Amino acid sequence: MSVLVFVENHNGKIKKSGFEAVYFGSLLAKNMGVSCHALTYGQNPDAGTLGKYGANEVHVAAYNGDFDTQVYTAMVSEAAQKLGAKAVVLAHTANGKSFAGGVAVKLNAGIVTGVNAVPVVDNGLIVQKSVFSGKAIAHYKITTDVAVMTLAGNSMQPVVTGSDVTPQNIELNLPAAKIRVIEKKTSEGIVPLPEAELVVSAGRGLKGPENWSIIEELAKALQATTACSRPVADTGWRPHHEHVGQTGVAIKPNLYIAIGISGAIQHLAGVNNSKTIVVINKDPEAPFFKAADYGVVGDLFDIIPKLTKAVESFKSHQ
Amino acid sequence: MNILVCVSKTPDTTSKISFSGDGKEYNGDGVTFIMNPYDEWYALVKAIELVEQHGGNVTTITVGDASNDIIIRKALAIGANDAIRVDAKATDSNEAAFQIVEVAKQKNYDLILLGKETIDYNGSVLGSLVAAQMDLPYISYGTKLETSDNGVYTVTREIEGGEEVCEVAGPLVISAAKGMAEQRIPNMKGIMMSKSKPLVVVPPAAYDSKVSVVSFELPVQKKGVKMIDPENMDELVRLLHEEAKVI
Ligand SMILES: Cc1cc2nc3c(=O)[nH]c(=O)nc-3n(C[C@H](O)[C@H](O)[C@H](O)COP(=O)(O)OP(=O)(O)OC[C@H]3O[C@@H](n4cnc5c(N)ncnc54)[C@H](O)[C@@H]3O)c2cc1C
Ligand SMILES: Nc1ncnc2c1ncn2[C@@H]1O[C@H](COP(=O)(O)O)[C@@H](O)[C@H]1O
């Protein structure tokens, strides 16, 4: 019996969400008294390092094709059957979310997505997740023989507990892909918003797109990813994939700095799971201060350059 | 084209969240419910647009009790042709998906559209459950969708840090995200017509529960905000480093 963790391969690299999932899987495996197996695919030179984060064995499937939900579903559910998995863990990423349900169907398993703490084992698995856009916490019990879950990003910091293992090939019978990817566009270099640990975000208080450089300079000093409120994306100052909130991306970084954003409930819905929130606003009555850990009242056009300088000076002394 | 659109109800975002005394059930008393925005603005409107272009029929499906009828009538007012409601109290996505499949497999739909996520339980899982049970391809977080009359669909989907354009032959299941369509406000004629459009209520099929609710709780309140002197940004950086330990 085992816990099986699926790890995405991003052009031969494993992202932080993959290490988080393996570390989570190893803690769950310990609670269940079983071993932890990781599954990845294609050319993945870093596969062996998953052992460091708690995988007892690492399996590599021979698949190098496009992302196709049915192929991935077959890959993970077949491996789960072969390896006697009682629990299957995937990262709560765009791809993970797209086929986790498929794996559950194939394994006749109950599924809970967006789990954010290690489950309690009690005649089934009791899992925890954030619901109502961060306004409440739910505990569910998965009662089926096999359980499938996706792990919310930044829910835990992966810790090195073991050492590299030698990956082994796993033979699987995969169907032909029906979905053909004809184009793929990703912005290189910057950490995508859903994965970012540090986020600098700005709203209508910036007055216009021409002022965005002060936000970018602060983000650069912190090595943070930038985000914005919805009106900013709607008016085309910033691209839509940067818009956070109920109708945009929901994020959970370690640090969220909100600059010139009022803190409307729909905005908070996407960011109130952040670990630490800093709010900079000239209006001391701005609702965002209620959700903040640190607040600065004043004109952002004065404050941001000063903050950037302070960050740069801190970094240069480290 | 025959399109099935999954629509669900959700509390209005501004409403206060509370639970029954034993923490087992969400308390919807006095709460205004709306159609889940992704279902309404993107999935439903896209379905209507496709039928306007290619002909066909838009059917909505909802798993839930009669309190859903308000949002179903709104979907009909926006332009869906007819509606089905499975009269079950779906406690989770596993069950809602099962009930939807029971209905969907009785008819050959060309396309099943749904929202990318419900804003209450934030599952983002129903589409993959429905597609797998029906053995159909599934594309999530569609931001653009086009089709010609040959049954091939071109879909742009959000991925981490970018987007991907895919091509696939139907029938299939697609979840809709922002960009897919523009919100439509029902007009007077739509509202009048919605009253006479068919809303069929069907009993649920027998379902073995896979996931049960243990309890809900409210998160612990933040301790309160610490105000920093705007002239002293070094202090903010120090606190972020030493106290919050995030930089
Ligand atoms: C159904 C629905 C869904 C929505 N979804 C989202 C969503 O996903 N994400 C989202 O963000 N919004 C969403 N909204 C919109 C939301 O309600 C707010 O309107 C929006 O978040 C406000 O954006 P803002 O804070 O940038 O602008 P404003 O509310 O205009 O706030 C600007 C802030 O900047 C401050 N400011 C101005 N000048 C300065 C200065 N010089 N220095 C310092 N501070 C300054 C002001 O005091 C003010 O607090 C949604 C709304 C609805 C109805
Ligand atoms: N009870 C329901 N009835 C009909 N459709 C639903 C129901 N619950 C969820 N859906 C659809 O599935 C999508 C994703 O839901 P979820 O996986 O629960 O986040 C929603 O946007 C709806 O389109």
Side-chain angles (χ1 to χ4, degrees), chain A residues 96-288:
Chain A
K97 281 185 263 184
S98 308
F99 77 101
V103 174
V105 168
K106 290 285 185 264
L107 298 175
N108 201 17
I111 179 170
V112 174
T113 51
V115 170
N116 61 13
V118 180
V120 175
V121 182
D122 176 19
N123 276 325
L125 294 183
I126 300 178
V127 297
Q128 176 184 314
K129 72 172 284 189
S130 155
V131 290
F132 296 99
S133 306
K135 287 192 274 184
I137 298 162
H139 301 270
Y140 293 105
K141 185 169 190 167
I142 307 178
T143 49
T144 41
D145 186 37
V146 180
V148 176
M149 65 218 100
T150 63
L151 174 66
N154 282 340
S155 296
M156 45 184 45
Q157 197 59 36
V159 175
V160 174
T161 54
S163 50
D164 280 18
V165 296
T166 311
Q168 42 191 309
N169 293 332
I170 183 165
E171 288 290 328
L172 300 171
N173 220 338
L174 302 182
K178 290 190 192 143
I179 297 174
R180 209 162 62 84
V181 175
I182 49 182
E183 198 186 335
K184 197 168 174 166
K185 286 179 258 178
T186 47
S187 32
E188 292 302 322
I190 28 174
V191 185
L193 206 40
E195 295 165 34
E197 291 186 3
L198 307 176
V199 174
V200 173
S201 185
R204 222 151 36 183
L206 255 279
K207 306 279 187 289
E210 66 280 5
N211 297 324
W212 218 264
S213 57
I214 59 168
I215 300 302
E216 278 165 344
E217 279 154 25
L218 174 60
K220 192 165 157 235
L222 283 164
Q223 290 181 303
T225 301
T226 54
C228 66
S229 68
R230 174 164 153 179
V232 165
D234 279 348
T235 44
W237 299 359
R238 299 298 296 170
H240 259 304
H241 65 255
E242 286 195 4
H243 144 208
V244 291
Q246 181 203 305
T247 43
V249 190
I251 55 172
K252 199 180 170 183
N254 286 336
L255 174 62
Y256 184 74
I257 304 186
I259 301 163
I261 303 175
S262 55
I265 185 91
Q266 298 90 354
H267 184 86
L268 294 180
V271 303
N272 59 8
N273 278 326
S274 308
K275 193 166 156 226
T276 299
I277 295 178
V278 175
V279 170
I280 299 170
N281 199 303
K282 69 173 182 192
D283 173 11
E285 302 294 317
F288 219 143

Side-chain angles (χ1 to χ4, degrees), chain A residues 113, chain B residues 5-9 36 38-39 43 61-64 68 90 92-93 96 100 113-127 175:
Chain A
T113 51
Chain B
V5 185
C6 306
V7 299
S8 54
K9 81 175 202 307
N36 190 45
Y38 298 107
D39 311 358
I61 182 161
T62 304
V63 182
N68 286 275
D92 78 312
S93 315
I100 288 170
L113 274 167
L114 64 152
K116 77 161 185 182
E117 177 175 319
T118 49
I119 62 167
D120 45 8
Y121 296 102
N122 310 107
S124 214
V125 67
L126 195 122
S175 82

Side-chain angles (χ1 to χ4, degrees), chain B residues 93-213:
Chain B
S93 315
N94 294 274
E95 181 172 2
F98 171 85
Q99 300 296 354
I100 288 170
V101 170
E102 287 298 307
V103 172
K105 67 187 186 193
Q106 292 168 20
K107 202 169 160 187
N108 294 322
Y109 291 100
D110 299 290
L111 176 64
I112 301 178
L113 274 167
L114 64 152
K116 77 161 185 182
E117 177 175 319
T118 49
I119 62 167
D120 45 8
Y121 296 102
N122 310 107
S124 214
V125 67
L126 195 122
S128 66
L129 289 166
V130 168
Q133 285 172 58
M134 300 184 70
D135 211 13
L136 296 176
Y138 173 55
I139 296 182
S140 60
Y141 315 112
T143 54
K144 248 182 237 149
L145 165 59
E146 277 161 27
T147 182
S148 46
D149 287 315
N150 61 2
V152 175
Y153 296 79
T154 307
V155 190
T156 305
R157 71 181 272 260
E158 284 172 7
I159 55 173
E160 251 87 326
E163 56 180 38
E164 199 169 76
V165 185
C166 330
E167 218 171 60
V168 58
L172 82 161
V173 181
I174 300 175
S175 82
K178 190 181 173 81
M180 182 73 101
E182 290 288 331
Q183 180 180 8
R184 286 192 191 182
I185 311 289
N187 57 25
M188 213 46 206
K189 183 162 162 252
I191 295 168
M192 291 314 290
M193 278 168 66
S194 73
K195 300 200 169 108
S196 54
K197 287 180 177 172
L199 191 175
V200 181
V201 179
V202 299
Y207 171 77
D208 275 335
S209 162
K210 293 182 157 69
V211 173
S212 58
V213 173

